[in-house]
Amino acid sequence: SIKMDLLHSNGVLIIQHLQRDYRAYQDFLNFMSHVGDPRNIFSIYFPLWFQLNQVVGTKMIWVAVIGDWFNLIFKWILFGHRPYWWVQETMIYPNQSSPCLEQFPITCETGPGSPSGHAMGSSCVWYVMVTAALSYTVRWKDKSAVTLHRLSWSFLWSIFWIIQISVCISRVFIATHFPHQVILGVFAGILVAEAFEHTPAIETASLRMYIKTNLFLFIFALGFYLVLKLLDIDLLWSVPKAKKWCANPDWINIDTTPFAGLVRNLGALSGLGLGINSEMFITSCRGKNSCKISFRILCIAASLATLQLYNFVKIPTHTEYLFYILSFCKSAAMPLTVVALVPYCVHSIMRTTEKKLN
């Protein structure tokens, strides 16, 4: 406990340093925090990659869902505090006022802080994207191509680490994580992504496999929560702390609670399973139009545009269970739209156009 307090107090000094000396970069750091938001995986990264390479897109969802699930379990085990409430409750600052940490609209997350979900989600998904991009160049055999692969390797991994470091600094800057929490998140995300590099079964997973996986993730998480609750261990201990010490009550969002992330991920995996095993997907993404560049570009544009419309769908938060049900449905609809609905519509339009021209 003394060592952890010392680690936290050193983290507070780093946060104060960042908030004092990097004030000019506040907008950029807030932006990078949004870049690391796990929700961007489903609304931006996945639609782009799935239309370019269905295997990579599928792997991306699996990595994001399993990674976020492990993040939830780790949070429940590690009981990590967040800086913005820890400085208000710790006894490490006797006879003096606690350090003043500035809060921002995205500071007041309600779940435990370790490991960082943003850092973990960002590292695992960007790891998948970088390794996927490099897999195209590693096959080249001539000398000039080998040189190009080495340059690509250096460039892409440099970009990877620049983004991860920026996301980590941004999460520390807004006082929602301690430095050790974001570092742990980055390396945990890399481990999850690397594990899926050696798990080819997900590429051909049946709908039954998706259902079984979803049931396992849900039952394990719920069972873990209930068992510890019977032992009088409250895994939602962080929520009242967040509500108590957040500078602005309007910044508290139910979407950041532990179960909200679990429901969102289970919905996304369900939607992917339904989409990949649907007739619409087989007709469009496995048909003759799937090889056309125009088909893929239209699918990317339509998917991104359609998913942005989902942002305007506000789920009511007055009833928690209703929020979880609607959040599951919304999350399931997003990959289902990308995988089946949009490609099928684009395929139908292209087929009708071709018939008229003939």
Side-chain angles (χ1 to χ4, degrees), residues 241 262 290 349:
K241 290 182 180 292
L262 176 65
S290 62
I349 292 171

Side-chain angles (χ1 to χ4, degrees), residues 72 75-77 79-80 85 109-113 221-222 224-226 228-229 232-244 254 256-262 320-321 324:
L72 173 65
K75 283 180 185 293
W76 280 347
I77 292 173
F79 280 76
W85 76 57
E109 298 208 6
T110 57
L222 183 62
F224 188 69
Y225 170 80
L226 293 175
L228 291 184
K229 191 172 183 178
D232 204 26
I233 299 175
D234 182 15
L235 293 180
L236 299 180
W237 61 273
S238 60
V239 177
K241 290 182 180 292
K243 292 180 178 179
K244 180 179 180 180
I254 191 175
T256 66
T257 58
F259 278 112
L262 176 65
E320 193 170 355
Y321 291 112
Y324 289 144

